[in-house]
Amino acid sequence: MASLPVTLMPDPIAPDAAHSLFAVPDMHCAGCIAKVERGLTALPGIHAARVNYSARRVAITHDPAMTLPDLRAAIAGIGFAAEPLADPTIAVENAQDKRLLRALAVAGFASMNIMLLSVSIWSGAVGATRELFHWLSALIALPTVAYAGQPFFRSAFAALRVGRTNMDVPISIGVLLATGMSLYETITGGNHAWFDGAVMLLTFLLAGRCLDAMMRGRARDGVAALLRQTAPGAYVIEAGQRRWVEARALVPGMMMQVAAGERFAADGEIREGKSSVDLAFLTGESRPVAVGVGDGVHAGALNMDGPLNVVVRAAGADTLIADIARMMDAAGQGKSRYVRIADRAARLYAPAVHLLAALSFAGWMIAGAGVHQALLIATAVLLITCPCALGLAVPAAQVVACGALMRRGILVKDGSALERLAEADRAMFDKTGTLTLGRPMPENLDALPADVRPVVLALARASRHPLSAALAEALQREGVMAATLSDLREEAGVGVSALWQGRPVSLARPANAGNWTSLATEYREGDRHILLTFADMLRPDAAATAAALRTLGLDPIIASGDRPQALHEVAMATGMLATGHMSPQAKLAMIERLKAQGHRVLMVGDGLNDGPALAAGHVSLAPSSASDASQLAADVVFLGDSLSSVAVAVRAARRTLAIVRQNFMLAVGYNLLAVPLAIAGLVTPLVAALAMSGSSLIVIANALRLRRAAR
């Protein structure tokens, strides 16, 4: 069974730099994202900083001389507490989410009780009764604001302490102003108090934050479910002794003993035993794959039939499943054009809001309104203008879409790739390994009689030649069990031979073949010679994928280094125009010509020679069987043998871009409507809280429609 390498892209800005990952739990909006990224990249020694909003993490590329304490202090200098993470695949319990939930429970309970008292006041209570109800409201509201407001107060104080502002500064000012004004009115025997508005404001703000946290948690569910596929550990054989070792303590070279019905805790190579493994979580293939000595297995795969002894090749963060998790983690926050728009809006938010509130206060004072009314209007302006909806417009859609695609076996490295994929209007395919499976498949397996199939399987499994591996895999899929051979020998360039029941047998190059690399091999047993031929089969759904891309407006073409004669059959089967004898430079030149004509090229390739074209394309995809270089250059990697993932990804990307645009329209429309109303004095703090939280919830709910985008 072939391995499925998935390699993450190194940082192109500073290939020799160090990389560190920090958990920053207090980030909750586009303004926080922009502050962390801008603040870090402005520091000497830091080359790049990329925030993953859904995971509340920041990945930093920096000089090797910078230590973790240095980076932690740098993040603290921006106003955020941070903790280093050794591995992005390790789940970090976010205590902030639990604090938000507790604060929401307190605020919700208090707001209901204060509202009951407020109803009595609104119903006409006067005199001592009104004062009593105001004092009772104050006794409930003051401790509630002090406790439930901590998520906002702490964030605001941390920003102000380092001379910065964030979205929580005006929120905190608004809550404290409303509470302070209400307490003053209560002490002086005034007719009005706004404790209900202040506490209800916190309730709705916290509800919005909690739902945002739930959305991010749901977006991470796919990766978490993937990581839960791995076994917690394995029994290891050392010096004849058998002991249990946790998965994180496994190291390459250890010998795992995996019983039937257990999952593998690490990637490895089978040294003893034969079985079949379930790879549905990885490839989407529901049929188990037969494996034996020399075959590779992956962490998370289920051993179906018999016990296996497996030598560990990669464990922990180096396994394939961990690579996939890191790729999904990196896809959560992409720097698309729309993200940059939201970043700029968040950067201007704090000064603009403070200025609007100050002007509103001054304007109403000049117009003759009292201090209380002017402060109330300024408070409403502070609260209603929070651009949380704008900050969530892009990351919410990207995270949900990437999660939906991941569940289909399509791994997006960068959320911005979805935007570029949606813009593509031309599709260019390599042939070998892309439109075809890139591995030889027996064409005439029926030529092998049933009595010699076990012998051929044993011979094929003893050789590492690609044709032997393909033959062994095909026979194992047929349920053939290998015969017992003796005196096995392999001669380079000739083949493999052995004795079976005292008779010489061999699997070798055909007598009329020029060399061992011909797509044919021959079984010999005495005077019996059986010629087996192989072909590189077309991927399933290749023709259907080409038709689907045409329907989507992408005209697909084939650009291959193969001979034109070899391309003819594939071109006829898929209906694509094909060009052969193309060098890497020629493919690159073709993409540049299409770019000059105004086209945006989707490049799909797998070989080393496709690396430059994958990097030059407007967006690029590669199968998981591609070379490391191609996977490094590609924006999206798809698992399995089906090529339909290309069309699925394009459709999902276009739907994601439509949702992002809708989110921007919703967020901008809300602000255009709400801000003038607040400045005009037509909005109370309570209504402001409802409006602001409602806009965020609408954007999140709209993004969650993408959960079924990968169809």
Side-chain angles (χ1 to χ4, degrees):
M1 183 179 63
S3 297
L4 299 174
V6 178
T7 310
L8 294 181
M9 184 179 295
D11 195 322
I13 300 173
D16 298 328
H19 303 269
S20 298
L21 189 70
F22 282 82
V24 188
D26 292 330
M27 293 187 297
H28 53 259
C29 62
C32 299
I33 295 169
K35 280 183 172 58
V36 170
E37 292 184 342
R38 290 200 322 272
L40 288 175
T41 52
L43 298 175
I46 295 181
H47 304 288
R50 175 63 60 86
V51 166
N52 185 314
Y53 173 71
S54 66
R56 285 182 176 172
R57 296 169 179 160
V58 58
I60 306 172
T61 304
H62 56 91
D63 288 342
M66 297 190 74
T67 64
L68 291 179
D70 294 336
L71 296 170
R72 185 178 180 182
I75 299 173
I78 302 169
F80 294 89
E83 291 295 335
L85 293 175
D87 180 10
T89 65
I90 298 174
V92 179
E93 184 178 2
N94 192 355
Q96 176 72 7
D97 291 348
K98 292 185 176 181
R99 287 199 296 269
L100 283 173
L101 192 58
R102 288 195 296 266
L104 174 61
V106 170
F109 180 76
S111 64
M112 287 187 293
N113 284 277
I114 295 174
M115 192 59 66
L116 288 174
L117 296 170
S118 298
V119 168
S120 300
I121 296 173
W122 299 339
S123 299
V126 294
T129 303
R130 176 185 288 266
E131 290 185 13
L132 175 62
F133 285 170
H134 279 171
W135 278 110
L136 289 175
S137 297
L139 289 174
I140 298 172
L142 293 177
T144 299
V145 170
Y147 176 77
Q150 287 185 32
F152 308 99
F153 301 156
R154 286 176 176 170
S155 174
F157 178 73
L160 293 173
R161 185 175 55 188
V162 295
R164 299 176 183 271
T165 61
N166 61 17
M167 293 185 182
D168 287 334
V169 172
I171 289 174
S172 299
I173 294 174
V175 170
L176 293 175
L177 274 176
T179 305
M181 291 166 58
S182 300
L183 183 60
Y184 175 80
E185 287 290 312
T186 300
I187 293 173
T188 59
N191 290 328
H192 300 287
W194 301 277
F195 292 118
D196 52 353
V199 177
M200 191 68 73
L201 168 63
L202 284 177
T203 301
F204 284 108
L205 287 172
L206 289 167
R209 292 277 171 94
C210 286
L211 287 171
D212 172 40
M214 289 172 59
M215 181 275 297
R216 287 183 288 99
R218 182 173 294 181
R220 296 193 299 265
D221 281 348
V223 175
L226 187 67
L227 293 174
R228 284 196 297 270
Q229 294 282 347
T230 59
Y235 283 104
V236 171
I237 307 298
E238 290 181 339
Q241 300 296 316
R242 185 170 179 261
R243 67 184 181 92
W244 175 263
V245 177
E246 292 186 2
R248 61 188 178 189
L250 292 171
V251 296
M254 285 184 170
M255 182 68 71
M256 298 188 300
Q257 196 172 65
V258 185
E262 294 181 353
R263 292 191 181 273
F264 297 97
D267 293 355
E269 180 181 320
I270 298 174
R271 285 294 177 84
E272 185 178 347
K274 51 190 175 184
S275 181
S276 59
V277 297
D278 181 2
L279 284 173
F281 81 101
L282 187 62
T283 64
E285 175 60 54
S286 58
R287 184 170 53 186
V289 178
V291 294
V293 176
D295 288 330
V297 291
H298 296 290
L302 178 64
N303 182 17
M304 302 287 289
D305 300 326
L308 296 172
N309 286 350
V310 179
V311 62
V312 175
R313 295 302 186 199
D318 298 323
T319 60
L320 170 63
I321 201 169
D323 278 343
I324 294 173
R326 278 191 290 270
M327 186 179 296
M328 277 307 302
D329 194 67
Q333 175 66 33
K335 277 297 180 184
S336 70
R337 173 164 50 94
Y338 293 97
V339 171
R340 291 192 293 271
I341 292 172
D343 284 351
R344 287 195 294 270
R347 190 182 312 169
L348 299 173
Y349 160 72
V353 167
H354 293 152
L355 180 61
L356 274 176
L359 290 175
S360 299
F361 177 80
W364 278 96
M365 288 295 292
I366 293 171
V371 174
H372 294 110
Q373 185 181 359
L375 279 175
L376 201 62
I377 292 171
T379 301
V381 172
L382 285 171
L383 298 174
I384 207 166
T385 50
C386 181
C388 290
L390 188 63
L392 291 171
V394 182
Q398 287 182 347
V399 166
V400 176
C402 288
L405 287 169
M406 188 273 291
R407 289 189 291 273
R408 279 289 301 264
I410 303 169
L411 311 178
V412 184
K413 291 183 179 180
D414 184 349
S416 67
L418 293 174
E419 181 182 323
R420 289 179 277 117
L421 188 57
E423 296 170 343
D425 60 2
R426 286 289 185 275
M428 180 186 293
F429 288 85
D430 176 50
K431 181 185 82 72
T432 305
T434 303
L435 289 172
T436 65
L437 293 172
R439 57 181 183 267
M441 301 286 288
E443 289 184 302
N444 60 334
L445 201 60
D446 293 340
L448 284 175
D451 62 318
V452 302
R453 288 191 175 200
V455 182
V456 174
L457 175 57
L459 289 168
R461 287 174 57 166
S463 171
R464 293 189 177 274
H465 191 277
L467 296 186
S468 295
L471 182 57
E473 184 178 348
L475 289 171
Q476 288 174 152
R477 282 201 303 269
E478 297 279 332
V480 177
M481 304 298 290
T484 301
L485 305 179
S486 61
D487 197 23
L488 270 166
R489 289 173 294 177
E490 183 173 13
E491 184 178 350
V494 177
V496 61
S497 61
L499 292 176
W500 174 57
Q501 297 179 352
R503 300 196 300 271
V505 292
S506 66
L507 193 64
R509 68 178 184 179
N512 62 348
N515 55 63
W516 174 237
T517 61
S518 299
L519 290 182
T521 188
E522 192 172 62
Y523 170 72
R524 301 169 188 167
E525 178 192 337
D527 294 334
R528 179 157 58 170
H529 292 218
I530 302 174
L531 183 68
L532 297 169
T533 59
F534 297 78
D536 190 5
M537 305 299 291
L538 199 64
R539 282 184 181 269
D541 305 326
T545 298
L549 290 175
R550 292 188 193 97
T551 302
L552 292 169
L554 282 78
D555 187 20
I557 60 174
I558 303 173
S560 174
D562 257 347
R563 306 182 316 276
Q565 299 91 327
L567 288 173
H568 178 72
E569 185 176 345
V570 174
M572 292 296 294
T574 60
M576 298 188 202
L577 293 175
T579 305
H581 283 315
M582 295 198 72
S583 65
Q585 294 81 1
K587 292 183 181 181
L588 194 60
M590 179 179 284
I591 290 178
E592 294 301 331
R593 284 197 301 272
L594 289 171
K595 281 185 178 180
Q597 295 168 10
H599 295 299
R600 293 170 174 174
V601 181
L602 161 61
M603 176 65 195
V604 188
D606 79 305
L608 283 170
N609 60 335
D610 294 320
L614 289 166
H618 188 66
V619 64
S620 54
L621 283 82
S624 59
S625 57
S627 66
D628 286 351
S630 294
Q631 292 190 48
L632 289 173
D635 298 300
V636 181
V637 175
F638 59 91
L639 304 177
D641 291 338
S642 175
L643 201 65
S644 63
S645 296
V646 178
V648 169
V650 172
R651 283 193 292 266
R654 290 185 176 179
R655 189 175 178 196
T656 302
L657 193 58
I659 292 292
V660 166
R661 288 169 176 162
Q662 290 171 16
N663 282 351
F664 265 94
M665 291 174 62
L666 290 169
V668 172
Y670 155 76
N671 281 283
L672 290 176
L673 176 65
V675 173
L677 293 176
I679 294 174
L682 301 176
V683 176
T684 66
L686 179 59
V687 174
L690 287 168
M692 186 197 66
S693 299
S695 67
S696 298
L697 296 181
I698 290 172
V699 165
I700 293 172
N702 196 43
L704 287 175
R705 293 166 55 203
L706 290 167
R707 285 177 297 177
R708 299 182 180 180
R711 286 188 168 185

